[in-house]
Amino acid sequence: KLQPLLNTIMRLSLAAGLGAGLGVVFGIKAYGSLYKYLKERLQVPEGSRLSSCEPPTKSAVPTNVHWHQGAVSREERWQALGQKGVVVWLTGLSGSGKSTVAFATEQLLLGRRTACYVLDGDNLRHGLNSDLGFSPADRAENVRRVAHLCRILADAGLVVLACFISPTRAMRQHVRDLVGDIHFAECFVDAPLATAEARDPKGLYKKARAGEIKGFTGIDSPFEPPEAPELRLPTAELSLAQEVEMILSYLQSHQIVCM
């Protein structure tokens, strides 16, 4: 009886080595019995789990959903704020300094009465993305959701500073495509692996080296550096103030904010 449901709604993928905890399937506790049934029927090995479902394909989107156009245009919102919306996507290794420079930039911009907001990867996993793990499928879904959120906030006129490792070029290109016709700036927070590992503010590199974390970017999972980012911040060579100034100069030079 469950097979038609599985065939029509989603495909389930197996992610090995991610812990023995069963967690919650589909993010809803009511599906606990379904999860147990699937784990037994699919003969999932101990130490593995069923990962979160893949996002629905376009064909799964209800045909009776329509865009409701508001009476206020994007230009009118931006004019009222006196600034333009933009997405600055900070990518780099864990410990490279993405969140540090983003929050410092936010503080300076707000002090100059520029509306902005930082979207931090760890912070969003406390709420919006709390149902996602770190399998390749979950990481892709994490970034997909954030890309749509970035577009919404930037469409409202905010300077959005998004801090996500987003390790592959294809993943970051997908974000750029989803943001669409809103200004998008890829900012490579460029710290050598040795520098990021020496900082290790969360102790994650130590755990990865000890084999306690699998698939950790930079250790046993690759990071693809941007080939032509709009901004590059070599954090081992610059002070925090210099990094913030580079972002501000970029925003000013593109007439996104006026200082």
Side-chain angles (χ1 to χ4, degrees):
K1 292 182 179 180
L2 287 171
Q3 196 61 42
L5 175 66
L6 299 178
N7 290 339
T8 56
I9 298 180
M10 64 192 70
R11 298 188 303 276
L12 294 173
S13 61
L14 292 176
L18 296 180
L22 292 181
V24 179
V25 170
F26 314 150
I28 305 173
K29 291 183 178 179
Y31 283 86
S33 58
L34 173 60
Y35 182 81
K36 183 178 180 181
Y37 173 84
L38 290 174
K39 199 169 190 296
E40 292 173 352
R41 286 293 299 270
L42 293 175
Q43 297 181 344
V44 179
E46 286 303 318
S48 302
R49 70 175 178 87
L50 289 170
S51 70
S52 299
C53 58
E54 296 178 3
T57 61
K58 275 196 171 183
S59 60
V61 177
T63 56
N64 61 340
V65 175
H66 303 280
W67 184 265
H68 192 139
Q69 185 62 46
V72 178
S73 69
R74 176 190 295 168
E75 289 70 25
E76 288 174 314
R77 283 194 293 271
W78 290 4
Q79 186 176 13
L81 282 174
Q83 64 183 64
K84 298 177 182 178
V86 62
V87 176
V88 180
W89 188 270
L90 295 93
T91 179
L93 294 169
S94 177
S96 61
K98 299 181 297 297
S99 296
T100 300
V101 67
F103 282 117
T105 303
E106 178 191 42
Q107 185 177 25
L108 189 58
L109 284 172
L110 288 175
R112 299 182 184 184
R113 305 187 68 79
T114 297
C116 61
Y117 197 84
V118 174
L119 294 176
D120 177 81
D122 280 2
N123 289 355
L124 286 183
R125 284 182 178 275
H126 282 80
L128 178 65
N129 294 333
S130 61
D131 60 323
L132 300 176
F134 291 91
S135 69
D138 279 6
R139 294 184 77 168
E141 172 61 10
N142 178 57
V143 169
R144 186 196 69 83
R145 293 182 192 179
V146 174
H148 282 288
L149 180 56
C150 284
R151 178 176 172 81
I152 290 170
L153 294 177
D155 185 63
L158 274 67
V159 173
V160 183
L161 304 166
C163 313
F164 293 85
I165 294 174
S166 45
T168 68
R169 297 186 185 103
M171 183 181 290
R172 297 189 297 268
Q173 182 60 50
H174 186 48
V175 173
R176 189 185 292 268
D177 293 341
L178 290 176
V179 171
D181 59 348
I182 293 175
H183 193 108
F184 180 90
E186 184 178 35
C187 178
F188 180 26
V189 185
D190 187 3
L193 175 60
T195 300
E197 190 168 359
R199 293 171 178 169
D200 203 11
K202 303 171 186 175
L204 299 179
Y205 283 99
K206 184 178 180 180
K207 292 182 179 179
R209 290 292 188 188
E212 297 175 26
I213 301 177
K214 301 295 184 182
F216 190 77
T217 303
I219 302 300
D220 56 354
S221 183
F223 177 82
E224 299 174 358
E227 295 178 323
E230 282 78 4
L231 278 162
R232 175 179 171 271
L233 308 179
T235 61
E237 305 168 15
L238 301 174
S239 68
L240 179 58
Q242 289 173 318
E243 293 169 21
V244 171
E245 184 56 39
M246 287 182 67
I247 295 177
L248 294 181
S249 295
Y250 178 87
L251 296 176
Q252 287 179 286
S253 66
H254 287 80
Q255 299 180 329
I256 295 167
V257 298
C258 298
M259 298 295 181

